Amino acid sequence: DNVGGYLGGAARGSNYYRDCIFIGNSVTNNSSSGNGGAVFGFSSGDDAKFPMKFTAKPAILDHCTVIGNVANSTGGGGEGGGIFLCVASNGTRIAYNKSHAGGGGASRCVLVDCEIIGNVVTNKLEATTSQTSGGGILNCWATNCVIAGNKIWHQTSGQGSFSHGGGAASSHLSGCVISNKIDTSNGGGVY
């Protein structure tokens, strides 16, 4: 139940986490950021490109649980409801997180042997348009993962609104199981 004001509701930086639980954390920002409801994996000024080309060492989550976290930004950001710019592996469970821009569970991450379950991307109630992608993951590299029950929930249908990929959007998937709720626009499972 920690609240971050900019990046990473509970933690920020290239740390190593083993058997940790991140639950009910949030990040809320009045600018275009507000990413990583639980963990923002880099320090200030670091970034990643897709496909994964990290400019610095990312945070590592090894057999962790990331559940019920929120990434929110009033300025249009809010990616990675659970984690942002991280490497997660070894049975890490990313579940029931929420973001307002994309990647309800994870954004810009490398995921190996993970469960990404029940995450959601939803626009803000006051939004007149909504452009959201990746109910489960966005811009991620996922291998041997279960991506199930994630969704995008539009609360507006204004001109220019769209949503892509209830489970995954703009991601590289290998050996994954995908079972998701129907998306309101394009690609209920994957876009």
Side-chain angles (χ1 to χ4, degrees):
D1 295 323
N2 299 291
V3 178
Y6 185 56
L7 301 169
R12 180 178 178 186
S14 55
N15 303 304
Y16 176 79
Y17 305 97
R18 170 132 174 93
D19 294 322
C20 293
I21 298 172
F22 297 91
I23 185 168
N25 302 287
S26 63
V27 60
T28 302
N29 191 270
N30 293 325
S31 70
S32 60
S33 291
N35 301 322
V39 180
F40 184 91
F42 284 176
S43 298
S44 180
D46 295 331
D47 198 3
K49 307 288 183 208
F50 187 83
M52 294 295 105
K53 183 178 180 182
F54 294 119
T55 61
K57 180 182 170 190
I60 308 290
L61 285 79
D62 182 4
H63 196 254
C64 293
T65 300
V66 181
I67 188 167
N69 302 283
V70 178
N72 181 22
S73 173
T74 58
E79 287 186 23
I83 60 176
F84 188 87
L85 296 173
C86 295
V87 174
S89 65
N90 193 22
T92 292
R93 187 166 195 243
I94 303 165
Y96 308 107
N97 301 287
K98 180 171 74 171
S99 76
H100 290 292
S107 181
R108 299 188 200 183
C109 294
V110 174
L111 309 165
V112 181
D113 298 319
C114 295
E115 293 181 350
I116 301 97
I117 299 172
N119 300 286
V120 64
V121 174
T122 179
N123 62 289
K124 297 172 201 59
L125 286 172
E126 67 275 8
T128 55
T129 64
S130 177
Q131 300 178 358
T132 55
S133 298
I137 62 175
L138 173 65
N139 293 328
C140 290
W141 196 283
T143 302
N144 299 331
C145 294
V146 174
I147 303 170
N150 303 287
K151 66 179 180 176
I152 294 176
W153 178 40
H154 266 306
Q155 298 180 72
T156 184
S157 57
Q159 185 176 359
S161 294
F162 66 80
S163 58
H164 300 304
S170 303
S171 296
H172 176 89
L173 308 174
S174 176
C176 295
V177 174
I178 299 147
S179 175
N180 287 277
K181 300 192 185 235
I182 295 173
D183 186 30
T184 58
S185 186
N186 301 303
V190 177
Y191 178 84

